[in-house]
C-alpha cells in the first residue's frame, strides 16, 4: 500500500540513464524542513562519493515514516523504531551511526511545573511523537505504567512538536530523546526539568533493507565513514553540527546489529508492552 504522506526532499541532478535513486528515510525527530537541512547535504555528498544515488524520503509524521520502512518503501533508514519482534523480521540491519554518546529517553515538564514525579502525571496531558518510537514512547509508557499513572497522550508527529506544545502550555509534559531535548532547549531557550530518565542506549542507527545489494551497502558505508576525513565532508558535518549541537565534532562510525541488543531485549521483556 502506498502512503500519500511520502515526501521526497532531495532530487539529485542525474543523467537520464542513471539508476533510480534509493530512498533514504530519516526519523521525524525534528520538523521535516530542519531534518532536510541536516540530511540533504549529507546524502548529496554520499551519493557523489559512492556512486549510489540517494534521495531523502519522509512521511509527514514519525508514524508515516515508520510505516514507509515497514512496508518496504525505504532502502535505507535512520531510525530506532524497527526493533520490535514484528518489525525485526523485515531484516533491516545496522550499518552506521553518528559518533554521539548513548542517548536516554526522558519525560520533561516546564521548569516551574508543580509536577515532580511520575505518579503526579496521572490524568495529565503528555505530548508524544508516535507510538512506534523506542526512546520517545516505549520507555516512558513502561515507566508510567509501573508508576500507576494513566496519561492522556497527545500525538504531535515529531519530538520538537511536543516540546513546543509543552512550552505553549497545551500539554503538561512531553517525552523525548535526551539529545534532542538538550539541543532544542539550547536553540529555543526552553527551560525544563526531567522527571524521568531511562538507562542509556546506543544512538539511532542507519539501517539497510535486506534487498539492497551488499556491494551497494558497502559503497554507502565507505562514503559515510570517510566524510570526517575529507575537507568537503568535514564541512558538511560541521554545518549539521551547528543545527544538531552535538557534544563533539560529528562523524559516522560503523554500527552492528548486536549493538542494539538492549532495544530488542526491552521489547521482549517489557511487562505488558503492546507491540506495534
Amino acid at each position: 500500500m502506498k502512503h500519500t504522506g511520502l515526501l521526497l526532499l532531495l532530487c539529485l541532478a542525474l543523467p537520464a540513464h542513471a539508476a533510480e535513486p534509493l530512498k533514504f528515510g530519516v526519523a521525524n525527530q525534528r520538523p521535516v524542513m530542519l531534518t532536510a537541512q541536516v540530511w540533504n547535504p549529507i546524502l548529496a555528498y554520499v551519493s557523489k562519493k559512492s556512486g549510489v544515488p540517494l534521495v531523502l524520503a519522509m512521511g509527514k509524521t514519525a508514524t508515516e515514516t515508520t510505516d514507509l520502512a515497514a512496508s518496504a518503501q525505504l532502502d535505507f533508514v535512520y531510525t530506532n523504531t524497527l526493533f520490535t519482534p514484528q518489525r525485526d523480521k523485515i531484516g533491516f540491519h545496522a550499518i552506521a551511526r553518528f559518533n554521539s554518546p548513548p542517548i536516554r529517553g526522558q519525560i520533561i515538564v516546564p521548569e516551574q511545573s508543580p509536577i515532580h514525579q511520575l505518579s503526579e502525571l496521572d490524568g495529565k496531558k503528555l505530548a508524544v511523537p508516535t507510538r512506534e518510537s523506542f526512546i520517545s514512547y516505549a520507555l516512558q509508557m513502561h515507566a508510567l505504567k509501573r508508576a500507576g499513572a494513566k496519561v492522556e497522550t497527545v500525538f504531535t508527529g515529531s519530538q520538537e512538536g511536543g516540546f513546543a506544545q509543552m512550552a505553549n502550555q497545551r500539554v503538561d509534559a512531553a517525552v523525548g530523546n535526551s539529545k534532542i531535548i538538550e539541543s532544542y532547549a539550547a536553540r529555543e531557550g526552553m527551560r525544563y526539568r526531567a522527571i524521568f530518565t531511562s538507562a542509556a542506549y546506543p544512538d539511532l542507527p542507519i539501517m539497510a533493507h535486506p534487498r539492497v545489494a551488499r556491494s551497494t551497502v558497502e559503497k554507502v558505508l565507505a562514503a559515510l565513514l570517510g566524510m570526517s576525513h575529507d575537507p568537503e565532508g568535514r564541512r558538511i558535518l560541521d554545518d549539521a553540527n551547528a543545527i544538531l549541537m552535538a557534544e563533539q565534532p560529528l562523524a559516522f562510525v560503523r554500527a552492528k546489529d548486536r549493538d542494539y541488543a538492549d532495544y530488542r531485549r526491552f521489547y521482549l521483556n517489557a511487562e505488558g508492552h503492546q507491540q506495534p
Side-chain angles (χ1 to χ4, degrees):
M1 178 179 178
K2 297 294 183 182
H3 292 266
T4 57
L6 178 63
L7 304 176
L8 298 184
L9 301 175
L10 173 63
C11 297
L12 300 175
L14 300 170
H17 63 273
E20 181 179 351
L22 299 183
K23 295 182 176 65
F24 191 110
V26 175
N28 300 58
Q29 297 178 309
R30 299 175 172 84
V32 170
M33 294 311 298
L34 193 62
T35 300
Q37 282 183 256
V38 171
W39 283 96
N40 278 345
I42 292 173
L43 296 184
Y45 174 91
V46 172
S47 296
K48 181 174 68 173
K49 293 294 182 179
S50 68
V52 178
L54 301 171
V55 61
L56 179 61
M58 295 175 67
K60 295 178 181 178
T61 66
T63 298
E64 287 185 6
T65 301
T66 297
D67 286 346
L68 290 171
S71 59
Q73 295 188 55
L74 301 178
D75 302 289
F76 294 90
V77 62
Y78 172 71
T79 189
N80 61 2
T81 65
L82 301 177
F83 295 112
T84 64
Q86 181 179 355
R87 295 196 186 111
D88 205 23
K89 294 176 183 177
I90 300 170
F92 274 95
H93 55 99
I95 64 170
R97 63 174 177 82
F98 281 121
N99 59 333
S100 308
I103 55 178
R104 299 173 186 269
Q106 292 186 321
I107 299 176
I108 61 172
V109 296
E111 187 177 55
Q112 301 304 318
S113 171
I115 298 171
H116 288 83
Q117 54 190 15
L118 292 180
S119 60
E120 294 171 352
L121 282 176
D122 190 47
K124 304 295 186 182
K125 291 183 178 181
L126 178 69
V128 299
T130 174
R131 283 190 177 91
E132 283 72 28
S133 178
F134 175 75
I135 288 290
S136 302
Y137 183 79
L139 293 171
Q140 291 87 345
M141 294 301 107
H142 184 60
L144 287 166
K145 181 176 181 179
R146 291 172 64 89
K150 295 183 178 180
V151 297
E152 178 184 344
T153 51
V154 177
F155 292 98
T156 59
S158 71
Q159 291 183 48
E160 290 200 358
F163 307 154
Q165 289 209 23
M166 187 187 78
N168 291 326
Q169 300 182 339
R170 295 177 184 171
V171 296
D172 301 287
V175 306
N177 169 333
S178 56
K179 184 171 67 174
I180 306 298
I181 293 170
E182 289 171 5
S183 64
Y184 180 87
R187 190 177 76 239
E188 301 294 335
M190 179 180 73
R191 302 178 69 85
Y192 69 95
R193 283 185 288 105
I195 62 171
F196 165 77
T197 300
S198 76
Y201 292 87
D203 203 355
L204 281 66
I206 294 173
M207 308 182 81
H209 193 279
R211 68 165 170 263
V212 182
R214 182 175 179 179
S215 59
T216 299
V217 172
E218 289 299 325
K219 290 176 183 177
V220 170
L221 176 60
L224 288 167
L225 299 180
M227 282 193 75
S228 59
H229 307 292
D230 172 68
E232 180 186 0
R234 181 69 266 162
R235 176 184 57 77
I236 291 169
L237 289 171
D238 288 343
D239 288 345
N241 198 28
I243 298 171
L244 302 179
M245 299 183 179
E247 297 177 19
Q248 57 192 20
L250 284 177
F252 286 105
V253 297
R254 190 181 297 268
K256 298 288 187 180
D257 278 332
R258 62 176 176 266
D259 300 338
Y260 296 88
D262 285 344
Y263 282 74
R264 296 179 172 95
R265 190 174 299 116
F266 172 88
Y267 282 119
L268 290 173
N269 298 334
E271 189 177 342
H273 178 74
Q274 298 297 312
Q275 302 292 353

